[in-house]
């Protein structure tokens, strides 16, 4: 294992991962802006027999958890997202040389920040990817959610690979 860089060198080592997170935030916000500009709430476009583009608003968390609450959840989930972002930036500085781990953290960071921006700007998260089959619809999601999911899968893979090396 390579020695960890100190101070400013640790911050510089984290820059590529922070740049990846920023690219994910920008891509997420651009796609959501396009949806907001071209679709009204509930509008959709059929793309295939199993996929639609739809405009949906989620005031809750994953799978609309707490979406029916009275509004306090906006600030709870914003706070959790900000707290997670701070922790992830700290972890990226400490582990920037661990590529898969840092990639996973950068994806989660980009997704978390993308959804926090939505909560702060709109009071809800804009979702637009709608997969369905035989009348059953998976909950709509967005690029930020996808980045978080990819990051979570990569964290699990990183841990499995780390344990295998022992």
């Amino acid at each position: 294992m390579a020695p960890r860089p100190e101070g400013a060198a640790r911050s510089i080592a984290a820059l590529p991962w922070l740049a990846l997170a920023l690219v994910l935030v920008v891509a997420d916000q651009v796609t959501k802006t396009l949806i907001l500009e071209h679709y009204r709430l509930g509008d959709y476009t059929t793309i295939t027999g199993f996929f639609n583009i739809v405009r949906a608003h989620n005031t809750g968390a994953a799978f609309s958890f707490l979406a029916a609450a009275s509004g306090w959840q906006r600030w709870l989930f914003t706070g959790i997202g900000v707290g997670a972002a701070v922790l992830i930036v700290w972890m990226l500085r400490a582990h920037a040389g661990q590529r898969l781990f840092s990639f996973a953290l950068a994806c989660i960071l980009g997704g978390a920040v993308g959804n926090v921006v939505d909560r702060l700007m709109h009071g809800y998260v804009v979702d637009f990817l709608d997969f369905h089959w035989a009348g059953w619809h998976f909950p709509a999601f967005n690029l930020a959610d996808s980045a978080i999911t990819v990051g979570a899968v990569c964290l699990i893979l990183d841990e499995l690979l780390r344990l295998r090396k022992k």
Side-chain angles (χ1 to χ4, degrees):
M1 182 178 270
R4 279 199 222 164
E6 296 298 323
R10 286 171 58 183
S11 294
I12 291 169
L15 284 178
W17 304 116
L18 296 173
L20 172 59
L22 179 62
V23 166
L24 292 170
V25 171
V26 169
D28 177 64
Q29 289 300 302
V30 166
T31 56
K32 290 173 179 174
T33 298
L34 290 170
I35 294 300
L36 290 171
E37 288 176 353
H38 297 289
Y39 288 79
R40 290 186 310 268
L41 182 61
D43 285 353
Y44 68 94
T45 301
T46 301
I47 305 298
T48 69
F50 61 89
F51 174 65
N52 301 329
I53 299 293
V54 64
R55 178 171 168 180
H57 298 171
N58 184 359
T59 57
F63 303 105
S64 297
F65 175 68
L66 293 178
S70 62
W72 58 266
Q73 74 277 22
R74 171 186 185 183
W75 304 111
L76 173 68
F77 296 135
T78 298
I80 290 170
V82 169
V86 169
L87 176 64
I88 290 169
V89 169
W90 176 78
M91 291 176 72
L92 280 172
R93 286 188 68 233
H95 302 282
Q98 297 175 24
R99 291 187 310 194
L100 183 56
F101 182 70
S102 294
F103 174 80
L105 291 179
C107 288
I108 294 168
L109 176 62
V113 170
N115 283 339
V116 164
V117 168
D118 275 16
R119 290 186 195 287
L120 292 173
M121 287 179 49
H122 310 295
Y124 53 83
V125 173
V126 177
D127 289 327
F128 57 90
L129 301 171
D130 174 33
F131 287 89
H132 55 90
W133 187 258
W136 177 82
H137 287 258
F138 188 79
F141 59 99
N142 57 49
L143 291 185
D145 299 332
S146 300
I148 292 168
T149 301
V150 167
V153 168
C154 288
L155 276 180
I156 293 167
L157 179 60
D158 180 71
E159 183 63 13
L160 291 172
L161 292 173
R162 188 185 67 76
L163 290 174
R164 189 172 172 205
K165 287 182 183 178
K166 284 186 172 185

